[in-house]
Amino acid sequence: MFAQFNGLIWFVLTLLPLAFLQRFLHREIQAVLLILSRSERFYHYRFLDHLPAGVLLHELSHYCMALLLGIKAARFSLVPQMLPDGRLQLGYVER
């Protein structure tokens, strides 16, 4: 019975640590840039220098999946925005 779920179990066991590691590295990279620049605005824009291609591919994948699933995407943006809580939103796809 468990043999048929073996691949799924390994997938989940691998995905969970990778998700944690991705969030940890993202936070640490931002912290280092903030310490080095001493300017929140500068570090946000420096961080963005290296991300446009990844953000484009990421948001485009959301948009394509919405189309494939028959969900109409009303808004699509790649323009970075500062959120009221201080976080930086790099892009989004909304329905």
Side-chain angles (χ1 to χ4, degrees):
M1 179 175 165
F2 289 111
Q4 61 187 343
F5 295 111
N6 194 19
L8 178 62
I9 291 169
W10 280 110
F11 174 73
V12 170
L13 289 175
T14 304
L15 190 63
L16 291 175
L18 288 176
F20 172 77
L21 183 62
Q22 182 267 337
R23 289 185 183 275
F24 174 77
L25 287 175
H26 188 262
R27 186 176 60 237
E28 293 302 313
I29 290 169
Q30 283 187 332
V32 167
L33 288 174
L34 181 58
I35 290 168
L36 291 175
S37 69
R38 305 254 188 230
S39 165
E40 187 173 331
R41 186 179 178 125
F42 176 79
Y43 102 89
H44 279 302
Y45 289 111
R46 264 324 274 164
F47 194 66
L48 286 177
D49 284 349
H50 306 296
L51 291 179
V55 172
L56 173 66
L57 290 173
H58 179 87
E59 299 305 332
L60 191 59
S61 70
H62 286 295
Y63 187 76
C64 289
M65 282 307 297
L67 291 176
L68 287 172
L69 295 173
I71 300 170
K72 183 180 178 188
R75 296 176 56 189
F76 178 85
S77 176
L78 297 173
V79 178
Q81 297 175 347
M82 287 296 289
L83 299 177
D85 63 359
R87 291 182 302 129
L88 182 64
Q89 181 180 32
L90 300 176
Y92 62 86
V93 176
E94 292 180 351
R95 59 179 203 139

Coordinates of all heavy atoms in Angstrom, one line a residue:
M1 N 0.8 -1.2 0.0 CA 0.0 0.0 0.0 C 0.9 1.3 0.0 O 0.6 2.2 -0.7 CB -0.9 0.0 1.2 CG -1.8 1.2 1.3 SD -2.9 1.0 2.7 CE -3.5 2.7 2.8
F2 N 1.9 1.3 0.8 CA 2.8 2.5 0.9 C 3.7 2.6 -0.3 O 4.2 3.7 -0.6 CB 3.6 2.5 2.2 CG 2.8 2.7 3.4 CD1 2.6 1.7 4.3 CD2 2.2 3.9 3.7 CE1 1.8 1.9 5.5 CE2 1.5 4.2 4.8 CZ 1.3 3.1 5.7
A3 N 3.9 1.5 -1.0 CA 4.8 1.6 -2.2 C 4.3 2.6 -3.2 O 5.0 3.3 -3.9 CB 4.9 0.2 -2.8
Q4 N 2.9 2.7 -3.4 CA 2.4 3.6 -4.4 C 2.5 5.1 -4.0 O 2.5 6.0 -4.8 CB 0.9 3.3 -4.7 CG 0.0 3.4 -3.5 CD -1.4 2.9 -3.8 OE1 -1.7 2.7 -4.9 NE2 -2.1 2.6 -2.8
F5 N 2.7 5.3 -2.7 CA 2.9 6.7 -2.2 C 4.4 7.1 -1.9 O 4.7 8.1 -1.4 CB 2.1 6.9 -0.9 CG 0.6 6.8 -1.1 CD1 -0.1 5.8 -0.6 CD2 0.0 7.8 -1.9 CE1 -1.5 5.7 -0.8 CE2 -1.4 7.8 -2.1 CZ -2.1 6.7 -1.6
N6 N 5.3 6.1 -2.2 CA 6.7 6.3 -1.9 C 7.2 7.6 -2.6 O 7.9 8.4 -1.9 CB 7.5 5.1 -2.4 CG 8.9 5.1 -1.8 OD1 9.2 5.8 -0.8 ND2 9.7 4.3 -2.5
G7 N 6.9 7.8 -3.9 CA 7.4 9.0 -4.5 C 6.8 10.3 -3.9 O 7.5 11.3 -3.8
L8 N 5.6 10.3 -3.6 CA 4.9 11.4 -3.0 C 5.5 11.8 -1.6 O 5.7 12.9 -1.3 CB 3.4 11.2 -2.9 CG 2.6 12.3 -2.2 CD1 2.7 13.6 -3.0 CD2 1.2 11.9 -2.0
I9 N 5.8 10.7 -0.8 CA 6.4 10.9 0.5 C 7.8 11.6 0.3 O 8.1 12.6 1.0 CB 6.5 9.6 1.2 CG1 5.1 9.1 1.6 CG2 7.3 9.7 2.5 CD1 5.0 7.7 2.1
W10 N 8.6 11.1 -0.6 CA 9.9 11.7 -0.8 C 9.8 13.1 -1.3 O 10.6 14.0 -0.9 CB 10.8 10.8 -1.7 CG 11.4 9.7 -1.0 CD1 11.1 8.4 -1.1 CD2 12.4 9.8 0.0 NE1 11.8 7.6 -0.3 CE2 12.6 8.4 0.5 CE3 13.1 10.8 0.6 CZ2 13.6 8.1 1.4 CZ3 14.0 10.5 1.6 CH2 14.2 9.2 2.0
F11 N 8.8 13.4 -2.2 CA 8.6 14.7 -2.7 C 8.3 15.7 -1.5 O 8.9 16.8 -1.4 CB 7.5 14.7 -3.7 CG 7.1 16.1 -4.2 CD1 7.9 16.8 -5.0 CD2 5.9 16.7 -3.8 CE1 7.6 18.0 -5.5 CE2 5.6 17.9 -4.2 CZ 6.4 18.6 -5.1
V12 N 7.4 15.3 -0.7 CA 7.0 16.2 0.4 C 8.2 16.4 1.4 O 8.4 17.5 1.9 CB 5.8 15.6 1.2 CG1 5.5 16.4 2.5 CG2 4.5 15.7 0.2
L13 N 8.9 15.3 1.7 CA 10.0 15.4 2.6 C 11.1 16.2 2.1 O 11.9 16.8 2.8 CB 10.5 14.0 3.0 CG 9.6 13.1 3.9 CD1 10.2 11.7 4.0 CD2 9.4 13.8 5.2
T14 N 11.3 16.3 0.8 CA 12.3 17.2 0.2 C 11.8 18.6 0.0 O 12.6 19.5 0.2 CB 12.6 16.6 -1.2 OG1 13.0 15.3 -1.1 CG2 13.7 17.4 -1.9
L15 N 10.5 18.8 -0.3 CA 10.0 20.1 -0.5 C 9.9 21.0 0.8 O 10.2 22.1 0.7 CB 8.6 20.0 -1.1 CG 8.0 21.3 -1.6 CD1 8.8 21.8 -2.8 CD2 6.5 21.0 -2.1
L16 N 9.6 20.4 1.9 CA 9.5 21.1 3.1 C 10.8 21.8 3.5 O 10.8 23.0 3.8 CB 8.9 20.3 4.2 CG 7.5 19.8 4.1 CD1 7.1 18.9 5.2 CD2 6.6 21.1 4.1
P17 N 11.9 21.1 3.6 CA 13.2 21.8 3.9 C 13.6 22.8 2.9 O 14.2 23.8 3.2 CB 14.2 20.6 4.0 CG 13.4 19.4 4.1 CD 12.1 19.6 3.5
L18 N 13.3 22.5 1.6 CA 13.7 23.5 0.6 C 12.9 24.8 0.7 O 13.4 25.9 0.5 CB 13.5 22.9 -0.8 CG 14.6 21.8 -1.2 CD1 14.2 21.2 -2.5 CD2 16.0 22.4 -1.2
A19 N 11.6 24.7 1.1 CA 10.8 25.9 1.3 C 11.3 26.7 2.4 O 11.4 27.9 2.4 CB 9.3 25.5 1.5
F20 N 11.7 26.0 3.5 CA 12.3 26.7 4.7 C 13.6 27.4 4.3 O 13.8 28.5 4.6 CB 12.5 25.7 5.8 CG 13.2 26.3 7.0 CD1 12.6 27.2 7.9 CD2 14.5 26.1 7.2 CE1 13.3 27.8 8.9 CE2 15.3 26.6 8.2 CZ 14.6 27.5 9.1
L21 N 14.4 26.7 3.6 CA 15.7 27.2 3.2 C 15.6 28.4 2.3 O 16.3 29.4 2.4 CB 16.6 26.1 2.5 CG 18.0 26.5 2.1 CD1 18.8 26.8 3.3 CD2 18.6 25.3 1.3
Q22 N 14.7 28.4 1.4 CA 14.4 29.5 0.5 C 14.0 30.7 1.2 O 14.6 31.8 1.0 CB 13.4 29.1 -0.6 CG 13.1 30.2 -1.6 CD 12.0 31.1 -1.2 OE1 11.1 30.8 -0.4 NE2 12.0 32.3 -1.8
R23 N 13.1 30.6 2.2 CA 12.7 31.7 2.9 C 13.8 32.3 3.8 O 14.0 33.5 4.0 CB 11.5 31.4 3.8 CG 10.2 31.2 3.0 CD 9.0 31.0 3.9 NE 7.8 30.7 3.1 CZ 7.1 31.7 2.7 NH1 7.4 32.9 2.8 NH2 6.0 31.3 2.0
F24 N 14.6 31.4 4.4 CA 15.7 31.8 5.3 C 16.8 32.5 4.5 O 17.2 33.6 4.9 CB 16.3 30.5 5.9 CG 17.6 30.8 6.7 CD1 17.5 31.4 7.9 CD2 18.8 30.5 6.1 CE1 18.7 31.7 8.6 CE2 20.0 30.8 6.8 CZ 19.9 31.4 8.1
L25 N 17.1 32.0 3.3 CA 18.2 32.7 2.5 C 17.7 34.0 2.0 O 18.4 35.0 1.9 CB 18.6 31.8 1.3 CG 19.4 30.6 1.7 CD1 19.7 29.7 0.4 CD2 20.7 31.0 2.3
H26 N 16.4 34.1 1.6 CA 15.8 35.4 1.1 C 15.9 36.4 2.2 O 16.4 37.6 2.0 CB 14.4 35.1 0.7 CG 13.8 36.3 0.0 ND1 13.0 37.2 0.7 CD2 13.8 36.8 -1.2 CE1 12.5 38.1 -0.1 NE2 13.0 37.9 -1.3
R27 N 15.6 36.1 3.4 CA 15.6 37.0 4.5 C 17.1 37.4 4.9 O 17.3 38.6 5.1 CB 14.9 36.4 5.8 CG 14.8 37.3 6.9 CD 14.0 36.7 8.1 NE 14.7 35.5 8.6 CZ 14.2 34.3 8.6 NH1 12.9 34.1 8.3 NH2 14.9 33.3 9.1
E28 N 18.0 36.5 4.8 CA 19.4 36.8 5.2 C 20.0 37.6 4.1 O 20.8 38.5 4.4 CB 20.2 35.5 5.4 CG 19.7 34.7 6.6 CD 19.9 35.4 7.9 OE1 20.9 36.1 8.1 OE2 18.9 35.4 8.7
I29 N 19.7 37.4 2.8 CA 20.3 38.2 1.8 C 19.8 39.7 1.9 O 20.6 40.6 1.8 CB 20.0 37.7 0.4 CG1 20.7 36.4 0.1 CG2 20.3 38.7 -0.7 CD1 20.3 35.6 -1.1
Q30 N 18.5 39.8 2.2 CA 18.0 41.2 2.4 C 18.6 41.8 3.6 O 19.0 43.0 3.6 CB 16.5 41.1 2.6 CG 15.7 40.9 1.3 CD 14.3 41.1 1.5 OE1 13.7 40.8 2.5 NE2 13.6 41.5 0.4
A31 N 18.9 41.1 4.7 CA 19.5 41.7 5.9 C 20.9 42.1 5.6 O 21.3 43.2 6.0 CB 19.5 40.7 7.0
V32 N 21.7 41.3 4.9 CA 23.0 41.7 4.5 C 23.0 43.0 3.7 O 23.8 43.9 3.9 CB 23.8 40.6 3.8 CG1 25.1 41.0 3.2 CG2 24.0 39.4 4.8
L33 N 22.2 43.0 2.7 CA 22.1 44.2 1.8 C 21.7 45.5 2.6 O 22.2 46.6 2.4 CB 21.1 44.0 0.7 CG 21.6 43.1 -0.4 CD1 20.5 42.8 -1.4 CD2 22.8 43.6 -1.1
L34 N 20.8 45.3 3.6 CA 20.4 46.4 4.4 C 21.5 46.9 5.3 O 21.8 48.1 5.4 CB 19.2 46.1 5.2 CG 18.6 47.2 6.1 CD1 18.2 48.4 5.3 CD2 17.5 46.6 6.9
I35 N 22.3 46.0 5.9 CA 23.4 46.3 6.7 C 24.5 47.1 5.9 O 25.0 48.1 6.3 CB 24.0 45.1 7.4 CG1 23.0 44.6 8.5 CG2 25.4 45.4 8.0 CD1 23.3 43.2 9.0
L36 N 24.8 46.5 4.7 CA 25.8 47.1 3.9 C 25.4 48.5 3.3 O 26.2 49.4 3.3 CB 26.1 46.2 2.7 CG 26.9 44.9 3.0 CD1 27.0 44.1 1.8 CD2 28.2 45.2 3.7
S37 N 24.2 48.7 3.0 CA 23.7 50.0 2.4 C 23.3 51.0 3.4 O 23.4 52.2 3.1 CB 22.6 49.7 1.4 OG 21.4 49.3 2.1
R38 N 22.8 50.6 4.5 CA 22.3 51.5 5.6 C 21.1 52.3 5.1 O 20.8 53.3 5.6 CB 23.4 52.4 6.1 CG 24.6 51.7 6.7 CD 24.5 51.7 8.2 NE 25.8 51.2 8.7 CZ 25.8 50.3 9.6 NH1 24.7 49.8 10.1 NH2 27.0 49.9 10.0
S39 N 20.5 51.9 4.0 CA 19.3 52.6 3.4 C 18.3 51.6 2.9 O 18.6 50.7 2.1 CB 19.8 53.4 2.2 OG 18.7 53.9 1.5
E40 N 17.1 51.6 3.5 CA 16.1 50.6 3.2 C 15.7 50.8 1.7 O 15.6 49.8 1.0 CB 14.9 50.8 4.0 CG 13.8 49.8 3.8 CD 12.7 49.9 4.8 OE1 12.9 50.4 6.0 OE2 11.6 49.5 4.5
R41 N 15.6 52.0 1.2 CA 15.2 52.2 -0.2 C 16.3 51.7 -1.1 O 16.0 51.1 -2.1 CB 15.0 53.7 -0.4 CG 14.4 54.0 -1.8 CD 14.2 55.5 -1.9 NE 13.8 55.8 -3.2 CZ 12.7 56.4 -3.5 NH1 11.9 56.9 -2.6 NH2 12.3 56.7 -4.8
F42 N 17.6 52.0 -0.8 CA 18.6 51.5 -1.7 C 18.7 50.0 -1.7 O 18.9 49.4 -2.8 CB 20.0 52.1 -1.2 CG 21.2 51.6 -1.9 CD1 21.5 52.1 -3.2 CD2 22.0 50.5 -1.4 CE1 22.6 51.6 -3.9 CE2 23.0 50.0 -2.1 CZ 23.3 50.6 -3.4
Y43 N 18.6 49.3 -0.6 CA 18.7 47.9 -0.6 C 17.5 47.2 -1.3 O 17.7 46.2 -2.0 CB 18.9 47.3 0.8 CG 17.7 46.7 1.5 CD1 17.4 45.4 1.3 CD2 16.8 47.5 2.3 CE1 16.3 44.8 1.9 CE2 15.7 46.9 2.9 CZ 15.5 45.5 2.7 OH 14.4 45.0 3.3
H44 N 16.3 47.8 -1.3 CA 15.2 47.3 -2.1 C 15.6 47.3 -3.6 O 15.4 46.4 -4.3 CB 13.9 48.0 -1.8 CG 13.2 47.6 -0.6 ND1 12.9 46.3 -0.3 CD2 12.9 48.3 0.5 CE1 12.3 46.2 0.8 NE2 12.3 47.4 1.4
Y45 N 16.1 48.5 -4.0 CA 16.4 48.6 -5.5 C 17.6 47.8 -5.9 O 17.7 47.2 -7.0 CB 16.5 50.1 -5.8 CG 15.2 50.8 -5.8 CD1 14.9 51.7 -4.9 CD2 14.2 50.4 -6.7 CE1 13.7 52.4 -4.8 CE2 13.0 51.0 -6.7 CZ 12.7 52.0 -5.7 OH 11.5 52.6 -5.7
R46 N 18.6 47.6 -5.0 CA 19.8 46.8 -5.3 C 19.3 45.3 -5.4 O 19.8 44.6 -6.2 CB 20.8 46.9 -4.2 CG 21.9 47.8 -4.3 CD 22.5 47.9 -5.7 NE 23.5 47.0 -6.1 CZ 23.9 46.7 -7.3 NH1 23.3 47.4 -8.3 NH2 24.8 45.8 -7.5
F47 N 18.4 44.9 -4.5 CA 17.9 43.6 -4.5 C 17.2 43.3 -5.8 O 17.3 42.2 -6.4 CB 17.0 43.4 -3.3 CG 16.7 41.9 -3.0 CD1 17.7 41.1 -2.6 CD2 15.4 41.5 -3.1 CE1 17.3 39.7 -2.3 CE2 15.1 40.2 -2.8 CZ 16.0 39.3 -2.4
L48 N 16.5 44.3 -6.3 CA 15.7 44.2 -7.5 C 16.6 44.1 -8.8 O 16.1 43.6 -9.8 CB 14.7 45.4 -7.7 CG 13.5 45.3 -6.8 CD1 12.7 46.6 -7.0 CD2 12.7 44.1 -7.0
D49 N 17.8 44.6 -8.7 CA 18.7 44.5 -9.9 C 18.9 43.1 -10.4 O 19.1 42.9 -11.5 CB 20.1 45.1 -9.5 CG 20.1 46.6 -9.5 OD1 19.1 47.2 -9.9 OD2 21.1 47.2 -9.0
H50 N 18.8 42.2 -9.4 CA 19.1 40.8 -9.8 C 17.9 39.9 -10.0 O 18.0 38.7 -10.3 CB 20.0 40.2 -8.7 CG 21.2 41.0 -8.4 ND1 22.2 41.1 -9.4 CD2 21.6 41.7 -7.4 CE1 23.2 41.9 -8.9 NE2 22.8 42.2 -7.6
L51 N 16.7 40.5 -9.8 CA 15.5 39.7 -9.8 C 14.5 39.8 -11.0 O 13.7 38.9 -11.1 CB 14.7 39.9 -8.5 CG 15.3 39.5 -7.2 CD1 14.4 39.9 -6.1 CD2 15.6 38.0 -7.2
P52 N 14.7 40.7 -11.9 CA 13.6 40.9 -12.9 C 13.3 39.7 -13.7 O 12.2 39.4 -14.0 CB 14.1 42.1 -13.8 CG 15.1 42.8 -12.9 CD 15.7 41.8 -12.0
A53 N 14.4 39.0 -14.2 CA 14.1 37.8 -15.0 C 13.4 36.7 -14.2 O 12.4 36.1 -14.7 CB 15.5 37.2 -15.5
G54 N 13.8 36.5 -13.0 CA 13.1 35.5 -12.1 C 11.6 35.9 -11.8 O 10.7 35.0 -11.9
V55 N 11.4 37.2 -11.6 CA 10.1 37.6 -11.3 C 9.2 37.5 -12.5 O 8.1 37.0 -12.4 CB 10.1 39.1 -10.8 CG1 8.7 39.7 -10.7 CG2 10.8 39.2 -9.5
L56 N 9.7 37.8 -13.7 CA 9.0 37.7 -14.9 C 8.6 36.2 -15.2 O 7.4 35.9 -15.4 CB 9.8 38.2 -16.1 CG 9.2 37.9 -17.5 CD1 7.9 38.8 -17.7 CD2 10.2 38.3 -18.6
L57 N 9.5 35.3 -15.0 CA 9.2 33.9 -15.2 C 8.2 33.4 -14.2 O 7.3 32.6 -14.5 CB 10.5 33.1 -15.2 CG 11.4 33.2 -16.3 CD1 12.7 32.5 -16.1 CD2 10.8 32.7 -17.6
H58 N 8.4 33.8 -13.0 CA 7.5 33.4 -11.9 C 6.1 33.8 -12.1 O 5.1 33.0 -12.1 CB 8.0 33.9 -10.6 CG 7.1 33.5 -9.4 ND1 7.3 32.4 -8.7 CD2 6.1 34.2 -8.8 CE1 6.4 32.3 -7.8 NE2 5.7 33.4 -7.8
E59 N 5.9 35.1 -12.4 CA 4.5 35.7 -12.6 C 3.9 35.2 -13.9 O 2.7 34.9 -14.0 CB 4.5 37.2 -12.5 CG 5.0 37.8 -11.2 CD 4.2 37.2 -10.0 OE1 3.0 36.9 -10.2 OE2 4.8 37.2 -8.9
L60 N 4.8 35.0 -14.9 CA 4.3 34.4 -16.2 C 3.8 33.0 -16.0 O 2.8 32.6 -16.6 CB 5.4 34.5 -17.2 CG 5.0 34.3 -18.7 CD1 3.9 35.2 -19.2 CD2 6.2 34.4 -19.6
S61 N 4.5 32.2 -15.2 CA 4.0 30.9 -14.9 C 2.6 30.9 -14.2 O 1.8 30.1 -14.6 CB 5.0 30.1 -14.1 OG 5.1 30.6 -12.8
H62 N 2.4 31.8 -13.3 CA 1.1 31.9 -12.7 C 0.0 32.3 -13.8 O -1.1 31.7 -13.8 CB 1.1 33.0 -11.6 CG 1.8 32.7 -10.4 ND1 1.3 31.7 -9.5 CD2 2.8 33.2 -9.8 CE1 2.1 31.6 -8.5 NE2 3.1 32.5 -8.6
Y63 N 0.4 33.2 -14.6 CA -0.6 33.7 -15.7 C -0.9 32.5 -16.6 O -2.1 32.3 -16.9 CB 0.0 34.9 -16.4 CG -0.9 35.5 -17.4 CD1 -1.9 36.3 -17.0 CD2 -0.8 35.2 -18.8 CE1 -2.8 36.9 -17.9 CE2 -1.6 35.8 -19.7 CZ -2.6 36.6 -19.2 OH -3.5 37.2 -20.1
C64 N 0.1 31.8 -17.0 CA -0.1 30.7 -18.0 C -0.9 29.6 -17.3 O -1.8 29.0 -18.0 CB 1.2 30.1 -18.4 SG 2.1 31.2 -19.6
M65 N -0.7 29.3 -16.0 CA -1.5 28.3 -15.3 C -2.9 28.7 -15.2 O -3.9 27.9 -15.4 CB -0.9 28.0 -14.0 CG 0.3 27.1 -14.0 SD 0.1 25.5 -14.9 CE -1.2 24.7 -13.9
A66 N -3.2 30.0 -15.0 CA -4.5 30.5 -14.9 C -5.2 30.3 -16.3 O -6.4 29.8 -16.3 CB -4.5 32.0 -14.5
L67 N -4.5 30.6 -17.4 CA -5.1 30.4 -18.7 C -5.4 28.9 -18.9 O -6.4 28.6 -19.5 CB -4.2 30.9 -19.8 CG -4.0 32.4 -19.8 CD1 -3.0 32.8 -20.9 CD2 -5.3 33.1 -20.1
L68 N -4.4 28.0 -18.6 CA -4.6 26.6 -18.8 C -5.8 26.0 -18.0 O -6.5 25.1 -18.5 CB -3.4 25.8 -18.4 CG -2.2 25.9 -19.4 CD1 -1.0 25.3 -18.8 CD2 -2.5 25.3 -20.7
L69 N -6.0 26.6 -16.8 CA -7.1 26.1 -16.0 C -8.4 26.9 -16.3 O -9.5 26.6 -15.6 CB -6.8 26.3 -14.5 CG -5.6 25.4 -14.0 CD1 -5.2 25.8 -12.6 CD2 -5.9 24.0 -14.1
G70 N -8.4 27.8 -17.2 CA -9.6 28.5 -17.6 C -10.0 29.6 -16.6 O -11.2 30.0 -16.6
I71 N -9.1 30.1 -15.9 CA -9.3 31.2 -14.9 C -8.9 32.5 -15.6 O -7.7 32.6 -16.0 CB -8.6 31.0 -13.6 CG1 -9.0 29.7 -13.0 CG2 -8.8 32.2 -12.7 CD1 -8.1 29.3 -11.8
K72 N -9.8 33.5 -15.6 CA -9.4 34.7 -16.3 C -8.6 35.6 -15.3 O -9.0 35.9 -14.2 CB -10.7 35.5 -16.6 CG -10.4 36.8 -17.4 CD -11.7 37.5 -17.7 CE -11.3 38.8 -18.4 NZ -12.5 39.7 -18.6
A73 N -7.4 36.0 -15.7 CA -6.5 36.8 -14.9 C -6.9 38.3 -15.3 O -6.6 38.7 -16.4 CB -5.1 36.5 -15.2
A74 N -7.4 39.0 -14.3 CA -7.8 40.4 -14.5 C -6.6 41.4 -14.5 O -6.6 42.3 -15.3 CB -8.8 40.8 -13.5
R75 N -5.7 41.1 -13.6 CA -4.5 42.0 -13.5 C -3.2 41.2 -13.4 O -3.2 40.2 -12.8 CB -4.7 42.9 -12.2 CG -5.9 43.8 -12.2 CD -6.1 44.5 -11.0 NE -4.9 45.3 -10.6 CZ -4.7 45.9 -9.5 NH1 -5.7 45.9 -8.6 NH2 -3.6 46.6 -9.2
F76 N -2.2 41.8 -14.0 CA -0.9 41.2 -14.1 C 0.1 42.4 -14.0 O 0.0 43.3 -14.7 CB -0.7 40.5 -15.4 CG 0.6 39.9 -15.7 CD1 0.9 38.6 -15.2 CD2 1.6 40.5 -16.4 CE1 2.1 38.0 -15.4 CE2 2.8 40.0 -16.6 CZ 3.1 38.7 -16.1
S77 N 1.0 42.3 -13.0 CA 2.0 43.4 -12.8 C 3.4 42.9 -12.5 O 3.5 41.9 -11.8 CB 1.5 44.3 -11.7 OG 2.5 45.3 -11.5
L78 N 4.4 43.5 -13.1 CA 5.8 43.3 -12.8 C 6.4 44.5 -12.1 O 7.6 44.5 -12.0 CB 6.5 42.9 -14.1 CG 6.0 41.6 -14.7 CD1 6.7 41.4 -16.1 CD2 6.3 40.4 -13.8
V79 N 5.6 45.5 -11.8 CA 6.1 46.7 -11.2 C 6.2 46.5 -9.7 O 5.2 46.2 -9.0 CB 5.2 47.9 -11.5 CG1 5.7 49.2 -10.9 CG2 5.1 48.1 -13.0
P80 N 7.4 46.6 -9.1 CA 7.6 46.5 -7.6 C 6.9 47.5 -6.9 O 6.8 48.7 -7.3 CB 9.1 46.6 -7.4 CG 9.7 46.5 -8.8 CD 8.7 46.9 -9.8
Q81 N 6.3 47.1 -5.8 CA 5.5 48.1 -4.9 C 5.9 47.8 -3.4 O 6.0 46.7 -3.0 CB 4.0 47.9 -5.1 CG 3.5 48.1 -6.4 CD 2.0 47.8 -6.5 OE1 1.5 47.1 -5.7 NE2 1.4 48.3 -7.6
M82 N 6.0 48.9 -2.7 CA 6.2 48.8 -1.2 C 4.8 48.6 -0.6 O 3.9 49.4 -0.9 CB 6.9 50.0 -0.7 CG 8.3 50.1 -1.0 SD 9.3 48.8 -0.3 CE 9.3 49.2 1.4
L83 N 4.6 47.6 0.2 CA 3.3 47.4 0.8 C 3.3 48.2 2.2 O 4.3 48.5 2.7 CB 3.1 45.9 1.1 CG 3.1 45.0 -0.1 CD1 3.0 43.5 0.3 CD2 2.0 45.4 -1.0
P84 N 2.1 48.4 2.7 CA 2.0 49.2 3.9 C 2.8 48.6 5.1 O 3.2 49.4 6.0 CB 0.5 49.3 4.2 CG -0.2 49.0 2.9 CD 0.8 48.1 2.1
D85 N 2.9 47.3 5.1 CA 3.6 46.7 6.2 C 5.2 46.7 6.1 O 5.9 46.0 6.8 CB 3.1 45.3 6.5 CG 3.3 44.3 5.3 OD1 3.9 44.8 4.3 OD2 3.0 43.2 5.5
G86 N 5.7 47.3 5.0 CA 7.1 47.4 4.8 C 7.7 46.3 3.9 O 8.9 46.4 3.5
R87 N 6.9 45.3 3.5 CA 7.4 44.3 2.6 C 7.4 44.8 1.1 O 6.7 45.8 0.8 CB 6.5 43.1 2.7 CG 6.6 42.3 4.0 CD 5.8 41.1 4.0 NE 4.4 41.4 3.8 CZ 3.6 40.7 2.9 NH1 4.1 39.8 2.2 NH2 2.4 41.1 2.7
L88 N 8.2 44.2 0.3 CA 8.3 44.6 -1.1 C 7.6 43.5 -1.9 O 7.9 42.3 -1.9 CB 9.8 44.7 -1.5 CG 10.0 45.1 -2.9 CD1 9.5 46.5 -3.2 CD2 11.5 45.0 -3.2
Q89 N 6.6 43.9 -2.7 CA 5.9 43.0 -3.6 C 6.5 43.2 -5.0 O 6.4 44.3 -5.6 CB 4.4 43.4 -3.6 CG 3.6 42.5 -4.5 CD 2.1 42.9 -4.5 OE1 1.7 44.0 -4.4 NE2 1.2 41.9 -4.7
L90 N 7.1 42.2 -5.5 CA 7.8 42.3 -6.8 C 6.9 42.2 -8.0 O 7.1 42.8 -9.0 CB 8.8 41.2 -6.9 CG 9.9 41.2 -5.8 CD1 10.8 40.1 -5.9 CD2 10.6 42.5 -5.8
G91 N 5.8 41.4 -7.9 CA 4.9 41.3 -9.0 C 3.6 40.5 -8.5 O 3.7 39.9 -7.4
Y92 N 2.6 40.4 -9.4 CA 1.4 39.7 -9.0 C 0.6 39.4 -10.2 O 0.7 40.0 -11.2 CB 0.6 40.4 -7.9 CG 0.1 41.7 -8.4 CD1 -1.1 41.8 -9.1 CD2 0.8 42.9 -8.1 CE1 -1.6 43.1 -9.5 CE2 0.3 44.1 -8.5 CZ -0.9 44.2 -9.2 OH -1.4 45.4 -9.6
V93 N -0.3 38.4 -10.0 CA -1.3 38.0 -11.0 C -2.6 37.9 -10.2 O -2.6 37.1 -9.2 CB -1.0 36.7 -11.7 CG1 -2.2 36.4 -12.7 CG2 0.2 36.8 -12.5
E94 N -3.6 38.7 -10.5 CA -4.9 38.6 -9.8 C -6.0 38.2 -10.7 O -6.0 38.5 -11.9 CB -5.2 40.0 -9.1 CG -4.3 40.4 -8.1 CD -4.7 41.7 -7.5 OE1 -5.5 42.4 -8.0 OE2 -4.1 42.1 -6.5
R95 N -7.0 37.6 -10.1 CA -8.2 37.2 -10.9 C -9.4 38.1 -10.5 O -9.4 38.8 -9.6 CB -8.6 35.8 -10.8 CG -8.8 35.3 -9.4 CD -9.2 33.9 -9.3 NE -10.0 33.7 -8.1 CZ -11.1 33.0 -8.0 NH1 -11.5 32.3 -9.0 NH2 -11.7 32.9 -6.9

